[in-house]
Amino acid sequence: MQKINTLTTIKKQWFFVGLALVLSFFSLYPQTSWGLEKKIKKPTSLKIVTINDSTVDSLLKKTEEQMEKGDLDGSLRNFLKIYDYTKEVLQTVHFIKKEYEKLINDPAISQNEKEDLFIKLKRIGQLIPRYNSIKEKSAYHIGFIYTKQGDTEKAKKYLSEVIESSPFSTKPESLWMKAKTLLLSIYNLEGEF
């Protein structure tokens, strides 16, 4: 009888030792829990470290791809950063352009300085349409995302800016027409005009 009790006690001890080993294994290595816990998803947001003239085009494209993959929150943050950057650049460039134009007409400026300013004005003339286009695209996407998220007041602001600043076009794929259509849908006027 004592032999049976001793054997039962040993079995219980080994059972508890085995149970302790299994539990400690799972506590030390939670990734081996065979999917019993929720897997943590890494954020898919595109991280924008620096926006400058050489990166703005590629960042816009990557953010558009990010939006197409369904990451509305992350792409919204990035579109807002791109929009703010282009808006600041355009304000600065327009101010400088105005000052350069004044100097070109100043009789006290030498011909060499005028030629240098003319070259700079030509470069500014190339920058303005490029940055206007990037700003309009980002404003449209911001308005689109805000519409999807139900924030129609913010959406109206950006979409109105697009139809005021982008070139008029009746082509359905044009930015102007897409912004107009989305804006009219917010006002429940789609199909009206």
Side-chain angles (χ1 to χ4, degrees), residues 124-190:
I124 288 172
Q126 295 167 342
L127 278 176
I128 291 173
R130 177 173 165 243
Y131 274 85
N132 276 335
S133 174
I134 294 169
K135 183 176 169 237
E136 290 163 3
K137 286 178 186 176
S138 58
Y140 170 75
H141 291 305
I142 292 167
F144 176 83
I145 293 170
Y146 278 139
T147 302
K148 289 284 186 192
Q149 293 178 340
D151 194 341
T152 56
E153 290 307 309
K154 287 182 181 176
K156 286 188 253 182
K157 172 190 167 197
Y158 289 97
L159 294 170
S160 295
E161 181 180 326
V162 173
I163 63 171
E164 289 171 9
S165 64
S166 66
F168 171 78
S169 175
T170 57
K171 293 180 181 176
E173 68 277 359
S174 73
L175 197 59
W176 190 91
M177 187 60 88
K178 291 193 299 189
K180 179 211 69 137
T181 302
L182 193 53
L183 189 58
L184 291 179
S185 73
I186 291 172
Y187 293 125
N188 290 320
L189 291 172
E190 61 265 78

Side-chain angles (χ1 to χ4, degrees), residues 26-152:
F26 282 115
S27 67
L28 291 175
Y29 303 100
Q31 67 272 17
T32 60
S33 62
W34 293 286
L36 295 176
E37 58 200 37
K38 248 185 182 177
K39 289 185 179 180
I40 299 172
K41 286 187 176 181
K42 291 182 181 178
T44 58
S45 290
L46 173 69
K47 291 183 180 179
I48 295 181
V49 178
T50 303
I51 300 177
N52 57 43
D53 186 59
S54 62
T55 62
V56 69
D57 291 314
S58 65
L59 291 172
L60 177 66
K61 185 176 183 205
K62 288 177 184 177
T63 304
E64 288 172 335
E65 291 168 359
Q66 177 185 13
M67 184 183 76
E68 289 172 8
K69 291 178 182 175
D71 183 6
L72 295 182
D73 292 332
S75 57
L76 176 62
R77 282 190 301 276
N78 294 336
F79 281 128
L80 286 167
K81 289 177 185 177
I82 293 167
Y83 174 86
D84 289 341
Y85 169 76
T86 56
K87 185 177 179 180
E88 290 171 11
V89 167
L90 285 167
Q91 288 172 341
T92 303
V93 167
H94 282 296
F95 175 77
I96 292 170
K97 180 182 179 209
K98 189 170 74 173
E99 296 303 314
Y100 283 180
E101 288 170 342
K102 284 181 194 175
L103 284 173
I104 281 183
N105 296 320
D106 186 349
I109 300 292
S110 73
Q111 186 61 32
N112 285 340
E113 289 174 310
K114 286 182 181 184
E115 288 173 6
D116 185 48
L117 289 173
F118 182 74
I119 291 169
K120 290 177 180 178
L121 279 170
K122 189 174 181 180
R123 174 70 177 127
I124 288 172
Q126 295 167 342
L127 278 176
I128 291 173
R130 177 173 165 243
Y131 274 85
N132 276 335
S133 174
I134 294 169
K135 183 176 169 237
E136 290 163 3
K137 286 178 186 176
S138 58
Y140 170 75
H141 291 305
I142 292 167
F144 176 83
I145 293 170
Y146 278 139
T147 302
K148 289 284 186 192
Q149 293 178 340
D151 194 341
T152 56

